[in-house]
Amino acid sequence: MLMSPWRSDFPALAILEAQGQTYLDSAATAQKPQALIDALTGYYTCGTANVHRAQHQPAERATRAFEDARIKVAQWLNAACPTEIVFTRGATEALNLLAYGLEPLIEADDEIVVSALEHHANLLPWQQLAKRRNAKLLVLPLNDRGVIDMEAAASLIGPRTRLLAVSQLSNVLGVWQPLAELLPLAKAQGALTVVDGAQGVVHGRHDMQSLACDFYVLSSHKLYGPEGVGALYGRGESLLKLRHWQFGGEMVRVADFHHAEFHAAPLGFEAGTPPIGAVIGLGATLDYLSRLDAAAVSGHEEALHMRLLAGLAVRKGVRLLGEPRLALASFTVDGVHHGDLAHLLTEQGIAIRSGTHCAQPLMSALKVDGAIRVSLGLYNDGTDLERFFSALDQALELLQ
Ligand SMILES: Cc1ncc(COP(=O)(O)O)c(C=O)c1O
């Protein structure tokens, strides 16, 4: 039957089900575990306070919980030290922080390298940085399976490469990228490396010390945590290369009217009041995820994904984008517009995404104007897929 033993940990699933909704859009944002809801309720009902500022007891408690969450994120990623974790408002803000923070290191005619599969969040900050500095943006092509072409990468990454920014797991193609081979190519040229882990962090644990990137970014809401918070991991010596980018309270050490000195990371990059409740909620979510049997979670996700692919493979005219290996599948159907199909699926209570998935250049490269994406969370089960396929068959009967 392919049941998820963790489904009941996510109260929204039962409510959505009662409303006739089948949630298959976890790559956009995930449903939340009761453990997170309890942590948020606890924080807001027991007295909030701002962090790193006041000496009173509620502030001390909030600061301790906030800094505990930093330790939990550091442990989740096996960072060398909690000070390597900077809280941001999401993966997008973390990538913008990097593009502004690293700006002084980029000179005219330097090269910034991204790949053809990047989400706009890991493309536009670099594209705009390249424009500001008269630098060049180079794009690594993909092979037919949706994997960065390593031969092309070896020839495009060269002595002018200052920075390589690539996704670990594409939000459209659902395939791990060959970071273990790719990152050393950039390192060998003395370039900095940025990994967009917004999707990758949701599937399995990733060890920053062995991944050996300079920076890694994630969003809490895709990892079953609250919205409005993300994290930037930066290797100790790499964080020292960042120029401060947002200015205000608590990031400054001393200030007068004409001059200021700033804290180092992480606090120097967390200007203003941070999303305290959300950070504490992320910590509680990581506690919850840490208690799960990781092998059972990935086995369940793999079995669901195989069932998804098998079901798509037997439907007439369905074409997958790339060769998805986990988490999701994006597809088109011959002769059917993805918008029409999405409309009929939505009418039947199937919550999937259709469109360009914030990756317009990838869609152009694949010569499609959009696709349907089905994405899975650890709480999905076989009945979700049965409902999806039955709705798909009904929709295709009308449209084909
Ligand atoms: C691969 C990838 N990178 C970056 C992002 C941006 O994340 P956020 O919108 O949470 O900042 C997303 C969100 O869909 C994503 O899938």
Side-chain angles (χ1 to χ4, degrees):
M1 231 1 262
L2 211 43
M3 306 288 285
S4 166
W6 310 287
R7 196 173 175 95
S8 57
D9 297 343
F10 293 79
L13 268 298
I15 291 169
L16 288 171
E17 206 170 315
Q19 294 166 346
Q21 294 295 313
T22 300
Y23 194 75
L24 290 166
D25 195 18
S26 295
T29 197
Q31 301 301 328
K32 314 305 175 198
Q34 187 64 47
L36 155 61
I37 298 164
D38 292 344
L40 288 179
T41 308
Y43 170 65
Y44 286 119
T45 50
C46 291
T48 61
N50 216 324
V51 290
H52 304 133
R53 288 161 168 78
Q55 74 299 334
H56 53 71
Q57 201 213 49
E60 222 180 86
R61 209 168 45 223
T63 303
R64 205 170 327 112
F66 185 90
E67 289 304 323
D68 275 354
R70 198 189 303 280
I71 294 169
K72 289 170 192 173
V73 175
Q75 286 168 345
W76 187 259
L77 297 174
N78 195 30
C81 178
T83 54
E84 293 185 327
I85 304 299
V86 176
F87 286 118
T88 63
R89 268 86 185 168
T92 302
E93 192 184 74
L95 289 160
N96 278 280
L97 182 167
L98 290 174
Y100 281 101
L102 296 171
E103 181 164 336
L105 304 182
I106 306 294
E107 289 172 6
D109 295 327
D110 279 350
E111 291 168 359
I112 298 171
V113 179
V114 295
S115 87
L117 57 74
E118 298 310 320
H119 187 284
H120 293 158
N122 194 34
L123 167 64
L124 303 183
W126 308 119
Q127 176 199 84
Q128 296 301 308
L129 168 61
K131 280 185 197 290
R132 292 197 297 277
R133 304 301 280 179
N134 285 322
K136 294 188 183 121
L137 187 80
L138 303 187
V139 181
L140 303 178
L142 310 178
N143 64 23
D144 292 345
R145 288 176 291 119
V147 179
I148 293 169
D149 178 331
M150 284 305 297
E151 244 176 71
S155 72
L156 283 167
I157 295 172
R160 292 307 312 233
T161 305
R162 290 287 166 273
L163 190 134
L164 169 71
V166 285
S167 274
Q168 186 180 29
L169 176 65
S170 156
N171 63 313
V172 178
L173 302 172
V175 51
W176 294 116
Q177 295 303 316
L179 298 183
E181 295 90 59
L182 197 55
L183 299 183
L185 291 181
K187 278 280 144 214
Q189 302 293 342
L192 289 166
T193 53
V194 175
V195 174
D196 175 355
Q199 297 292 338
V201 75
V202 184
H203 303 282
R205 296 286 290 266
H206 306 289
D207 180 331
M208 291 305 112
Q209 297 184 58
S210 63
L211 186 59
C213 56
D214 290 288
F215 301 103
Y216 183 94
V217 310
L218 64 92
S219 271
S220 145
H221 69 96
K222 293 186 197 286
L223 187 55
Y224 309 101
E227 303 94 4
V229 61
L232 165 68
Y233 157 81
R235 198 165 292 283
E237 70 267 19
S238 312
L239 285 170
L240 294 174
K241 297 190 161 80
L242 291 174
R243 178 182 66 174
H244 290 86
W245 80 304
Q246 285 184 345
F247 302 91
E250 291 308 304
M251 54 78 65
V252 68
R253 225 162 34 80
V254 282
D256 65 26
F257 281 116
H258 304 289
H259 179 74
E261 287 171 23
F262 309 116
H263 286 300
L267 293 192
F269 294 86
E270 294 176 357
T273 299
I276 303 164
V279 166
I280 293 170
L282 170 60
T285 307
L286 293 180
D287 283 343
Y288 163 74
L289 293 173
S290 307
R291 289 195 295 272
L292 306 185
D293 174 345
V297 170
S298 53
H300 175 71
E301 289 186 348
E302 207 180 305
L304 270 181
H305 191 251
M306 278 166 61
R307 193 170 290 190
L308 172 63
L309 292 190
L312 289 173
V314 296
R315 261 86 191 170
K316 202 174 97 214
V318 168
R319 280 177 205 275
L320 289 176
L321 268 49
E323 283 180 18
R325 304 305 293 267
L326 75 158
L328 58 87
S330 300
F331 64 93
T332 57
V333 183
D334 291 346
V336 172
H337 192 271
H338 59 89
D340 295 336
L341 180 51
H343 179 72
L344 292 183
L345 290 171
T346 304
E347 277 198 336
Q348 297 177 79
I350 307 297
I352 44 81
R353 267 281 286 284
S354 105
T356 55
H357 308 291
C358 300
Q360 287 176 26
L362 171 61
M363 292 293 164
S364 308
L366 296 172
K367 300 193 173 43
V368 293
D369 67 353
I372 300 280
R373 183 184 70 187
V374 177
S375 58
L376 306 166
L378 58 86
Y379 38 64
N380 286 118
D381 61 20
T383 45
D384 291 331
L385 290 182
E386 276 164 27
R387 286 197 210 107
F388 163 67
F389 282 121
S390 133
L392 181 65
D393 289 340
Q394 287 213 34
L396 291 182
E397 209 173 297
L398 277 173
L399 294 169
Q400 269 178 332

